[in-house]
Amino acid sequence: MTAAILLDASPKIDRLPKFEISAAAAQHEAPAPLLTVAVTLECTARAAGRVEDCRVLGETHPGLGFAEAAIALMRDAEVEPGRKDYQFARTIQFTP
């Protein structure tokens, strides 16, 4: 999106600068607000209960940092200890 800003160079203090938006910018619609963001992770649960090796399977809004935040949330996670390691998927929802 490109916006052109035109400022009035007049030395008068009582005048406000004039702002104009280019035709291309005026035609661009604003993106929809983020009502909810979901990130699905696949992680490994160790027999001792520690969660490790999480990776992103999918996310609703890529590139905004939510995948990294979801992985950080799972970094210290633990599950009930079991007899062997296993993999599981978890979807984390971020809401405003």
Side-chain angles (χ1 to χ4, degrees):
M1 180 165 99
T2 304
I5 299 175
L6 303 175
L7 298 176
D8 186 354
S10 170
K12 295 180 183 179
I13 296 175
D14 61 337
R15 292 185 63 195
L16 295 174
K18 295 178 183 177
F19 295 95
E20 294 182 18
I21 298 176
S22 70
Q27 292 175 357
H28 181 72
E29 293 183 27
L34 296 178
L35 300 178
T36 185
V37 176
V39 178
T40 301
L41 302 175
E42 181 181 68
C43 303
T44 299
R46 301 293 176 199
R50 183 95 177 131
V51 175
E52 300 176 351
D53 304 326
C54 291
R55 67 181 186 92
V56 177
L57 293 179
E59 57 185 306
T60 57
H61 294 81
L64 297 179
F66 290 101
E68 294 83 0
I71 289 172
L73 286 171
M74 294 300 290
R75 194 165 286 135
D76 294 323
E78 293 185 356
V79 295
E80 189 72 32
R83 288 187 275 178
K84 61 181 183 174
D85 296 351
Y86 63 93
Q87 289 189 305
F88 67 96
R90 167 75 34 95
T91 298
I92 297 175
Q93 299 265 341
F94 295 89
T95 55

Coordinates of all heavy atoms in Angstrom, one line a residue:
M1 N 0.8 -1.2 0.0 CA 0.0 0.0 0.0 C 0.9 1.2 0.0 O 1.8 1.3 0.8 CB -0.9 0.0 1.2 CG -1.8 1.2 1.3 SD -3.1 0.9 2.5 CE -2.5 1.8 3.8
T2 N 0.6 2.2 -0.9 CA 1.4 3.4 -1.0 C 0.4 4.6 -0.7 O -0.6 4.6 -1.3 CB 2.0 3.5 -2.4 OG1 2.8 2.4 -2.6 CG2 2.8 4.8 -2.5
A3 N 0.9 5.5 0.2 CA 0.1 6.7 0.4 C 1.0 7.9 0.2 O 2.1 7.9 0.7 CB -0.4 6.6 1.9
A4 N 0.5 8.8 -0.5 CA 1.3 10.0 -0.7 C 0.8 11.1 0.3 O -0.4 11.3 0.5 CB 1.0 10.5 -2.2
I5 N 1.7 11.7 0.9 CA 1.4 12.8 1.9 C 1.9 14.1 1.3 O 3.1 14.3 1.0 CB 2.1 12.5 3.2 CG1 1.6 11.2 3.8 CG2 1.8 13.6 4.2 CD1 2.3 10.8 5.1
L6 N 1.0 15.0 1.2 CA 1.4 16.4 0.7 C 1.3 17.3 1.8 O 0.2 17.5 2.4 CB 0.4 16.8 -0.5 CG 0.4 15.8 -1.7 CD1 -0.7 16.3 -2.7 CD2 1.7 15.7 -2.3
L7 N 2.3 18.0 2.1 CA 2.3 19.0 3.2 C 2.4 20.4 2.7 O 3.1 20.7 1.7 CB 3.6 18.8 4.1 CG 3.7 17.4 4.8 CD1 5.0 17.4 5.6 CD2 2.5 17.2 5.8
D8 N 1.6 21.3 3.3 CA 1.6 22.7 2.9 C 2.8 23.3 3.5 O 3.0 23.3 4.7 CB 0.3 23.3 3.4 CG 0.1 24.7 2.9 OD1 1.1 25.3 2.3 OD2 -0.9 25.3 3.3
A9 N 3.7 23.9 2.7 CA 4.9 24.5 3.1 C 4.8 25.9 3.7 O 5.7 26.6 3.9 CB 5.9 24.5 2.0
S10 N 3.6 26.4 3.8 CA 3.3 27.7 4.3 C 3.8 27.9 5.7 O 3.7 27.0 6.5 CB 1.8 28.0 4.2 OG 1.5 29.2 4.9
P11 N 4.4 29.0 6.0 CA 4.9 29.3 7.4 C 3.9 29.6 8.4 O 4.2 29.7 9.6 CB 5.9 30.4 7.2 CG 5.4 31.2 6.0 CD 4.8 30.1 5.1
K12 N 2.6 29.7 8.0 CA 1.5 30.1 8.9 C 1.3 28.9 9.9 O 1.1 27.8 9.5 CB 0.2 30.4 8.2 CG 0.3 31.6 7.3 CD -1.0 31.8 6.6 CE -0.9 33.0 5.7 NZ -2.2 33.2 5.0
I13 N 1.3 29.2 11.2 CA 1.1 28.2 12.2 C -0.4 27.8 12.3 O -0.7 26.6 12.7 CB 1.6 28.7 13.6 CG1 3.1 28.9 13.4 CG2 1.3 27.7 14.7 CD1 3.7 29.5 14.7
D14 N -1.3 28.7 12.0 CA -2.7 28.4 12.1 C -3.3 27.5 11.0 O -4.4 27.1 11.1 CB -3.5 29.7 12.2 CG -3.4 30.5 10.9 OD1 -2.5 30.3 10.2 OD2 -4.3 31.3 10.7
R15 N -2.5 27.0 10.1 CA -2.9 26.1 9.0 C -2.4 24.7 9.3 O -1.2 24.5 9.6 CB -2.4 26.6 7.7 CG -3.1 27.9 7.2 CD -2.7 28.3 5.9 NE -3.2 27.3 4.9 CZ -2.7 27.3 3.7 NH1 -1.8 28.1 3.2 NH2 -3.2 26.4 2.9
L16 N -3.2 23.8 9.1 CA -2.8 22.4 9.3 C -2.3 21.8 7.9 O -2.8 22.3 6.9 CB -4.0 21.5 9.7 CG -4.6 21.8 11.1 CD1 -5.8 21.0 11.4 CD2 -3.5 21.6 12.2
P17 N -1.4 20.9 8.0 CA -0.9 20.3 6.7 C -2.1 19.6 6.0 O -3.0 19.1 6.6 CB 0.1 19.3 7.1 CG 0.3 19.5 8.6 CD -0.8 20.3 9.1
K18 N -2.0 19.5 4.7 CA -3.0 18.8 3.9 C -2.5 17.4 3.6 O -1.3 17.2 3.2 CB -3.2 19.5 2.5 CG -3.8 20.9 2.7 CD -3.9 21.6 1.3 CE -4.4 23.0 1.5 NZ -4.5 23.7 0.2
F19 N -3.3 16.4 3.9 CA -3.0 15.0 3.6 C -3.9 14.5 2.5 O -5.1 14.7 2.6 CB -3.2 14.2 4.9 CG -2.2 14.6 6.0 CD1 -2.6 15.5 7.0 CD2 -0.9 14.1 6.1 CE1 -1.8 15.8 8.0 CE2 -0.1 14.4 7.1 CZ -0.5 15.3 8.1
E20 N -3.3 13.8 1.6 CA -4.0 13.2 0.5 C -3.6 11.7 0.4 O -2.4 11.4 0.6 CB -3.9 13.9 -0.8 CG -4.4 15.3 -0.8 CD -4.3 16.0 -2.1 OE1 -4.1 15.3 -3.1 OE2 -4.4 17.2 -2.1
I21 N -4.5 10.9 0.0 CA -4.2 9.5 -0.2 C -4.2 9.2 -1.7 O -5.2 9.7 -2.4 CB -5.2 8.5 0.6 CG1 -5.0 8.8 2.1 CG2 -4.9 7.1 0.2 CD1 -6.0 8.0 2.9
S22 N -3.2 8.5 -2.2 CA -3.2 8.3 -3.6 C -4.4 7.4 -4.0 O -5.0 6.7 -3.2 CB -1.9 7.5 -4.0 OG -1.9 6.2 -3.5
A23 N -4.7 7.4 -5.3 CA -5.9 6.7 -5.8 C -5.7 5.2 -5.6 O -6.6 4.4 -5.2 CB -6.1 6.9 -7.3
A24 N -4.4 4.7 -5.7 CA -4.2 3.3 -5.5 C -4.4 2.9 -4.1 O -5.0 1.8 -3.8 CB -2.7 2.9 -5.9
A25 N -4.0 3.7 -3.2 CA -4.2 3.4 -1.7 C -5.7 3.5 -1.4 O -6.2 2.7 -0.5 CB -3.4 4.4 -0.9
A26 N -6.4 4.4 -2.0 CA -7.8 4.5 -1.7 C -8.6 3.3 -2.1 O -9.6 3.0 -1.5 CB -8.4 5.8 -2.3
Q27 N -8.2 2.6 -3.2 CA -8.9 1.5 -3.7 C -8.6 0.2 -2.9 O -9.3 -0.8 -2.9 CB -8.5 1.2 -5.1 CG -9.0 2.3 -6.1 CD -8.6 2.1 -7.5 OE1 -7.8 1.2 -7.8 NE2 -9.0 3.0 -8.4
H28 N -7.5 0.2 -2.1 CA -7.1 -0.9 -1.3 C -8.0 -1.1 -0.1 O -8.2 -0.1 0.7 CB -5.7 -0.8 -0.9 CG -5.2 -2.0 -0.1 ND1 -4.9 -3.2 -0.7 CD2 -4.9 -2.1 1.2 CE1 -4.5 -4.1 0.2 NE2 -4.5 -3.4 1.4
E29 N -8.6 -2.2 0.1 CA -9.4 -2.4 1.3 C -8.6 -2.8 2.5 O -7.6 -3.5 2.4 CB -10.5 -3.5 1.0 CG -11.5 -3.1 0.0 CD -12.5 -4.2 -0.2 OE1 -12.8 -5.0 0.7 OE2 -13.1 -4.3 -1.3
A30 N -9.0 -2.4 3.7 CA -8.3 -2.8 4.9 C -8.5 -4.2 5.2 O -9.5 -4.8 4.9 CB -8.8 -1.9 6.1
P31 N -7.4 -4.9 5.7 CA -7.6 -6.4 6.0 C -8.6 -6.6 7.1 O -8.8 -5.7 7.9 CB -6.2 -6.8 6.4 CG -5.5 -5.5 6.8 CD -6.1 -4.4 6.0
A32 N -9.2 -7.7 7.1 CA -10.1 -8.1 8.2 C -9.4 -8.2 9.5 O -8.3 -8.6 9.6 CB -10.8 -9.4 7.9
P33 N -10.1 -7.8 10.6 CA -9.4 -7.8 11.9 C -9.2 -9.3 12.3 O -9.9 -10.2 11.9 CB -10.4 -7.2 12.9 CG -11.7 -7.3 12.2 CD -11.4 -7.3 10.7
L34 N -8.1 -9.5 13.1 CA -7.8 -10.8 13.6 C -8.7 -11.1 14.8 O -8.5 -10.6 15.9 CB -6.3 -10.9 14.0 CG -5.3 -10.7 12.9 CD1 -3.9 -10.8 13.5 CD2 -5.5 -11.8 11.9
L35 N -9.7 -11.9 14.6 CA -10.6 -12.2 15.7 C -10.0 -13.4 16.5 O -10.2 -13.5 17.7 CB -12.0 -12.6 15.2 CG -12.7 -11.4 14.5 CD1 -14.0 -11.8 14.0 CD2 -12.8 -10.2 15.4
T36 N -9.4 -14.4 15.8 CA -8.8 -15.5 16.5 C -7.7 -16.0 15.5 O -7.8 -15.9 14.3 CB -9.8 -16.6 16.8 OG1 -9.2 -17.6 17.5 CG2 -10.4 -17.2 15.5
V37 N -6.7 -16.5 16.2 CA -5.6 -17.1 15.4 C -5.3 -18.5 16.0 O -5.3 -18.7 17.2 CB -4.3 -16.3 15.6 CG1 -3.1 -16.9 14.9 CG2 -4.5 -14.9 15.0
A38 N -5.1 -19.5 15.1 CA -4.9 -20.8 15.6 C -3.6 -21.3 15.0 O -3.3 -21.1 13.8 CB -6.0 -21.8 15.1
V39 N -2.8 -22.0 15.8 CA -1.6 -22.7 15.4 C -1.6 -24.1 15.8 O -1.9 -24.4 17.0 CB -0.3 -22.0 16.0 CG1 0.9 -22.7 15.6 CG2 -0.3 -20.5 15.6
T40 N -1.4 -25.0 14.9 CA -1.4 -26.5 15.2 C 0.0 -27.0 15.2 O 0.8 -26.7 14.3 CB -2.2 -27.3 14.2 OG1 -3.6 -26.8 14.2 CG2 -2.3 -28.8 14.6
L41 N 0.4 -27.6 16.3 CA 1.8 -28.1 16.5 C 1.7 -29.6 16.6 O 0.8 -30.2 17.1 CB 2.4 -27.6 17.8 CG 2.5 -26.0 18.0 CD1 3.0 -25.7 19.4 CD2 3.4 -25.5 16.9
E42 N 2.8 -30.2 16.2 CA 3.1 -31.6 16.5 C 4.3 -31.7 17.4 O 5.3 -31.1 17.1 CB 3.3 -32.4 15.2 CG 3.6 -33.9 15.5 CD 3.9 -34.7 14.2 OE1 4.9 -34.4 13.6 OE2 3.0 -35.5 13.8
C43 N 4.2 -32.4 18.5 CA 5.2 -32.5 19.5 C 5.5 -33.9 19.9 O 4.7 -34.8 19.7 CB 4.8 -31.7 20.8 SG 4.4 -29.9 20.5
T44 N 6.6 -34.1 20.5 CA 7.0 -35.4 21.1 C 6.9 -35.4 22.6 O 7.5 -34.5 23.2 CB 8.4 -35.9 20.6 OG1 8.4 -35.9 19.2 CG2 8.8 -37.2 21.2
A45 N 6.1 -36.3 23.2 CA 6.1 -36.5 24.6 C 7.0 -37.6 25.0 O 6.8 -38.7 24.5 CB 4.7 -36.7 25.1
R46 N 8.0 -37.3 25.8 CA 8.9 -38.3 26.3 C 8.3 -39.2 27.4 O 7.4 -38.7 28.1 CB 10.2 -37.7 26.8 CG 10.9 -36.9 25.7 CD 11.5 -37.8 24.6 NE 12.1 -37.0 23.6 CZ 12.3 -37.5 22.4 NH1 11.9 -38.7 22.0 NH2 12.9 -36.7 21.5
A47 N 8.7 -40.4 27.6 CA 8.2 -41.3 28.6 C 8.2 -40.6 30.0 O 7.4 -40.8 30.8 CB 8.9 -42.6 28.6
A48 N 9.2 -39.8 30.2 CA 9.4 -39.1 31.5 C 8.4 -38.0 31.7 O 8.2 -37.4 32.8 CB 10.8 -38.6 31.7
G49 N 7.7 -37.6 30.6 CA 6.7 -36.5 30.7 C 7.1 -35.2 30.1 O 6.2 -34.3 30.0
R50 N 8.3 -35.1 29.7 CA 8.8 -33.8 29.0 C 8.3 -33.7 27.6 O 8.3 -34.7 26.9 CB 10.3 -33.8 29.1 CG 10.9 -32.6 28.6 CD 11.2 -31.6 29.7 NE 11.8 -30.4 29.1 CZ 11.5 -29.2 29.4 NH1 10.5 -29.0 30.2 NH2 12.1 -28.2 28.9
V51 N 7.8 -32.5 27.2 CA 7.4 -32.3 25.8 C 8.6 -31.6 25.0 O 9.2 -30.7 25.5 CB 6.2 -31.4 25.7 CG1 5.8 -31.0 24.3 CG2 5.0 -32.0 26.4
E52 N 8.9 -32.2 23.9 CA 10.0 -31.7 23.1 C 9.7 -31.7 21.6 O 8.7 -32.3 21.2 CB 11.2 -32.6 23.3 CG 11.7 -32.7 24.7 CD 12.9 -33.7 24.9 OE1 13.2 -34.4 24.0 OE2 13.4 -33.7 26.0
D53 N 10.6 -31.1 20.8 CA 10.6 -31.2 19.4 C 9.3 -30.8 18.7 O 8.8 -31.5 17.8 CB 11.0 -32.6 18.9 CG 12.3 -33.0 19.4 OD1 13.2 -32.2 19.6 OD2 12.5 -34.2 19.7
C54 N 8.7 -29.7 19.2 CA 7.5 -29.2 18.5 C 7.8 -28.6 17.2 O 8.8 -27.9 17.0 CB 6.8 -28.2 19.5 SG 6.1 -28.9 21.0
R55 N 6.9 -28.8 16.3 CA 7.0 -28.2 14.9 C 5.6 -27.8 14.5 O 4.6 -28.4 14.9 CB 7.6 -29.2 13.9 CG 6.8 -30.4 13.6 CD 7.6 -31.3 12.6 NE 6.7 -32.3 12.1 CZ 5.9 -32.3 11.1 NH1 5.9 -31.3 10.3 NH2 5.2 -33.4 10.7
V56 N 5.5 -26.8 13.7 CA 4.2 -26.2 13.2 C 3.7 -27.1 12.1 O 4.4 -27.4 11.1 CB 4.4 -24.8 12.7 CG1 3.1 -24.2 12.2 CG2 5.0 -23.9 13.8
L57 N 2.5 -27.5 12.2 CA 1.7 -28.3 11.2 C 0.9 -27.3 10.3 O 0.7 -27.5 9.1 CB 0.8 -29.3 11.8 CG 1.5 -30.5 12.5 CD1 0.4 -31.4 13.0 CD2 2.4 -31.2 11.5
G58 N 0.4 -26.2 11.0 CA -0.4 -25.3 10.2 C -0.7 -24.1 11.1 O -0.7 -24.2 12.3
E59 N -1.0 -23.0 10.5 CA -1.4 -21.8 11.2 C -2.4 -20.9 10.3 O -2.3 -21.0 9.1 CB -0.2 -20.9 11.7 CG 0.7 -20.5 10.5 CD 1.9 -19.8 11.0 OE1 1.8 -18.8 11.8 OE2 3.0 -20.2 10.7
T60 N -3.3 -20.2 11.0 CA -4.3 -19.5 10.2 C -3.7 -18.2 9.7 O -4.3 -17.7 8.7 CB -5.5 -19.2 11.1 OG1 -5.1 -18.4 12.3 CG2 -6.3 -20.4 11.5
H61 N -2.8 -17.6 10.3 CA -2.2 -16.3 9.9 C -0.7 -16.4 9.9 O 0.0 -15.8 10.8 CB -2.7 -15.1 10.7 CG -4.1 -14.9 10.6 ND1 -5.1 -15.7 11.3 CD2 -4.9 -14.0 9.9 CE1 -6.3 -15.2 11.0 NE2 -6.2 -14.2 10.2
P62 N -0.1 -17.0 8.9 CA 1.4 -17.2 8.8 C 2.1 -15.8 8.8 O 1.6 -14.8 8.2 CB 1.6 -17.9 7.5 CG 0.3 -18.5 7.1 CD -0.7 -17.6 7.7
G63 N 3.3 -15.8 9.3 CA 4.2 -14.7 9.3 C 4.0 -13.6 10.3 O 4.6 -12.6 10.2
L64 N 3.1 -13.8 11.2 CA 2.8 -12.7 12.2 C 3.4 -13.1 13.6 O 3.2 -12.3 14.5 CB 1.3 -12.5 12.4 CG 0.6 -12.0 11.1 CD1 -0.9 -11.9 11.4 CD2 1.1 -10.7 10.7
G65 N 4.2 -14.2 13.7 CA 4.8 -14.5 14.9 C 4.1 -15.4 15.8 O 4.6 -15.8 16.9
F66 N 2.9 -15.8 15.5 CA 2.1 -16.7 16.4 C 2.6 -18.1 16.4 O 2.5 -18.7 17.5 CB 0.6 -16.7 15.9 CG -0.1 -15.4 16.2 CD1 -0.3 -14.5 15.2 CD2 -0.5 -15.0 17.5 CE1 -0.9 -13.3 15.4 CE2 -1.1 -13.8 17.8 CZ -1.3 -12.9 16.7
A67 N 3.2 -18.6 15.3 CA 3.8 -19.9 15.4 C 5.0 -20.0 16.4 O 5.1 -20.9 17.2 CB 4.3 -20.3 14.0
E68 N 5.8 -19.0 16.4 CA 6.9 -18.9 17.3 C 6.4 -18.8 18.8 O 7.0 -19.4 19.7 CB 7.8 -17.7 17.0 CG 8.6 -17.8 15.7 CD 7.8 -17.4 14.5 OE1 6.6 -17.0 14.6 OE2 8.3 -17.5 13.3
A69 N 5.3 -18.0 18.9 CA 4.7 -17.9 20.3 C 4.2 -19.2 20.8 O 4.3 -19.6 21.9 CB 3.7 -16.8 20.3
A70 N 3.5 -20.0 19.9 CA 3.0 -21.3 20.2 C 4.1 -22.3 20.6 O 4.0 -23.0 21.6 CB 2.1 -21.9 19.1
I71 N 5.2 -22.3 19.9 CA 6.3 -23.1 20.2 C 6.9 -22.7 21.5 O 7.2 -23.6 22.4 CB 7.4 -23.1 19.1 CG1 6.8 -23.8 17.9 CG2 8.7 -23.7 19.5 CD1 7.7 -23.7 16.6
A72 N 7.0 -21.5 21.8 CA 7.5 -21.0 23.1 C 6.6 -21.4 24.3 O 7.1 -21.8 25.3 CB 7.7 -19.5 23.1
L73 N 5.3 -21.4 24.0 CA 4.3 -21.8 25.1 C 4.5 -23.3 25.4 O 4.4 -23.7 26.6 CB 2.9 -21.6 24.6 CG 2.4 -20.2 24.6 CD1 1.1 -20.1 24.0 CD2 2.4 -19.6 26.1
M74 N 4.9 -24.1 24.4 CA 5.0 -25.6 24.7 C 6.4 -25.9 25.2 O 6.7 -27.1 25.6 CB 4.8 -26.3 23.4 CG 3.3 -26.3 22.9 SD 2.1 -26.9 24.1 CE 2.5 -28.7 24.0
R75 N 7.4 -25.0 25.2 CA 8.7 -25.3 25.6 C 8.9 -25.9 26.9 O 9.7 -26.8 27.1 CB 9.6 -24.0 25.5 CG 11.0 -24.2 25.5 CD 11.8 -23.0 25.1 NE 11.7 -22.8 23.6 CZ 11.4 -21.7 23.0 NH1 11.3 -20.6 23.7 NH2 11.3 -21.7 21.7
D76 N 8.1 -25.5 27.9 CA 8.2 -26.0 29.3 C 7.0 -26.9 29.6 O 6.8 -27.2 30.8 CB 8.3 -24.9 30.3 CG 9.6 -24.1 30.1 OD1 10.7 -24.7 29.8 OD2 9.6 -22.9 30.3
A77 N 6.3 -27.4 28.6 CA 5.1 -28.2 28.9 C 5.5 -29.6 29.3 O 6.6 -30.1 29.0 CB 4.3 -28.3 27.6
E78 N 4.7 -30.2 30.1 CA 4.8 -31.6 30.5 C 3.5 -32.3 30.4 O 2.5 -31.7 30.5 CB 5.4 -31.6 32.0 CG 6.7 -31.1 32.2 CD 7.3 -31.2 33.6 OE1 6.5 -31.7 34.4 OE2 8.4 -30.9 33.8
V79 N 3.6 -33.6 30.2 CA 2.4 -34.5 30.2 C 2.6 -35.6 31.3 O 3.7 -35.7 31.9 CB 2.2 -35.1 28.8 CG1 1.9 -34.0 27.8 CG2 3.4 -35.9 28.4
E80 N 1.5 -36.3 31.4 CA 1.6 -37.4 32.4 C 2.7 -38.4 31.9 O 2.6 -38.8 30.8 CB 0.2 -38.1 32.4 CG 0.1 -39.1 33.5 CD 0.0 -38.5 34.9 OE1 -0.5 -37.4 35.1 OE2 0.5 -39.2 35.8
P81 N 3.6 -38.8 32.8 CA 4.6 -39.8 32.3 C 4.0 -41.1 31.9 O 2.9 -41.5 32.4 CB 5.5 -40.0 33.6 CG 5.2 -38.8 34.4 CD 3.8 -38.3 34.1
G82 N 4.6 -41.7 30.9 CA 4.1 -43.0 30.4 C 5.2 -44.0 30.2 O 6.3 -43.8 30.7
R83 N 4.9 -45.1 29.5 CA 5.8 -46.2 29.3 C 6.7 -45.9 28.1 O 7.8 -46.5 28.1 CB 5.1 -47.5 29.2 CG 4.5 -48.0 30.5 CD 3.9 -49.3 30.3 NE 2.6 -49.2 29.8 CZ 1.8 -50.2 29.5 NH1 2.2 -51.4 29.7 NH2 0.6 -50.0 29.1
K84 N 6.3 -45.1 27.2 CA 7.1 -44.9 26.0 C 6.9 -43.5 25.4 O 5.9 -42.8 25.8 CB 6.9 -45.9 24.9 CG 5.5 -45.9 24.4 CD 5.3 -47.0 23.4 CE 3.9 -47.0 22.8 NZ 3.7 -47.9 21.7
D85 N 7.8 -43.0 24.6 CA 7.6 -41.7 23.9 C 6.4 -41.8 22.9 O 6.2 -42.9 22.3 CB 8.9 -41.4 23.1 CG 10.1 -41.2 24.0 OD1 9.9 -41.1 25.2 OD2 11.2 -41.0 23.5
Y86 N 5.8 -40.7 22.6 CA 4.7 -40.7 21.6 C 4.6 -39.3 21.1 O 5.1 -38.3 21.7 CB 3.4 -41.2 22.2 CG 2.8 -40.3 23.3 CD1 1.9 -39.3 23.0 CD2 3.1 -40.5 24.6 CE1 1.4 -38.5 24.0 CE2 2.6 -39.8 25.6 CZ 1.8 -38.7 25.3 OH 1.2 -38.0 26.3
Q87 N 4.0 -39.2 19.9 CA 3.8 -37.9 19.3 C 2.3 -37.5 19.4 O 1.5 -38.4 19.4 CB 4.2 -37.9 17.8 CG 5.7 -38.0 17.6 CD 6.1 -37.8 16.2 OE1 5.6 -38.5 15.3 NE2 7.0 -36.8 15.9
F88 N 2.1 -36.2 19.5 CA 0.7 -35.7 19.6 C 0.6 -34.4 18.9 O 1.6 -33.7 18.7 CB 0.2 -35.6 21.0 CG 1.0 -34.6 21.8 CD1 0.5 -33.3 22.0 CD2 2.2 -34.8 22.4 CE1 1.1 -32.3 22.7 CE2 2.9 -33.9 23.2 CZ 2.3 -32.6 23.3
A89 N -0.6 -34.0 18.5 CA -0.9 -32.7 17.9 C -1.7 -31.9 18.9 O -2.5 -32.4 19.6 CB -1.6 -32.9 16.6
R90 N -1.4 -30.6 18.9 CA -2.1 -29.7 19.8 C -2.4 -28.4 19.0 O -1.5 -27.9 18.3 CB -1.2 -29.4 21.0 CG -1.6 -28.3 21.9 CD -2.8 -28.5 22.8 NE -3.0 -29.8 23.3 CZ -2.5 -30.4 24.4 NH1 -1.8 -29.6 25.2 NH2 -2.8 -31.6 24.8
T91 N -3.6 -27.9 19.1 CA -3.9 -26.6 18.4 C -4.0 -25.6 19.6 O -4.8 -25.8 20.5 CB -5.2 -26.7 17.6 OG1 -5.1 -27.6 16.6 CG2 -5.6 -25.3 17.1
I92 N -3.3 -24.5 19.4 CA -3.3 -23.4 20.3 C -4.1 -22.2 19.7 O -3.8 -21.8 18.6 CB -1.9 -23.0 20.7 CG1 -1.2 -24.1 21.4 CG2 -1.9 -21.7 21.6 CD1 0.2 -23.9 21.8
Q93 N -5.1 -21.7 20.4 CA -5.9 -20.6 19.9 C -5.5 -19.3 20.6 O -5.4 -19.3 21.8 CB -7.4 -20.8 20.2 CG -8.0 -22.1 19.6 CD -8.6 -21.7 18.3 OE1 -9.0 -20.6 18.0 NE2 -8.8 -22.8 17.4
F94 N -5.2 -18.3 19.9 CA -4.9 -17.0 20.4 C -6.1 -16.1 20.1 O -6.6 -16.0 19.0 CB -3.7 -16.3 19.7 CG -2.4 -17.1 19.9 CD1 -2.0 -18.1 19.1 CD2 -1.6 -16.8 21.0 CE1 -0.8 -18.8 19.3 CE2 -0.4 -17.4 21.2 CZ 0.0 -18.4 20.4
T95 N -6.6 -15.4 21.2 CA -7.8 -14.5 21.0 C -7.4 -13.2 21.6 O -6.6 -13.1 22.6 CB -9.0 -15.1 21.7 OG1 -8.7 -15.4 23.1 CG2 -9.5 -16.4 21.0
P96 N -8.0 -12.1 21.1 CA -7.7 -10.8 21.6 C -8.3 -10.5 23.0 O -9.2 -11.2 23.4 CB -8.3 -9.8 20.6 CG -9.3 -10.6 19.8 CD -8.9 -12.1 19.9

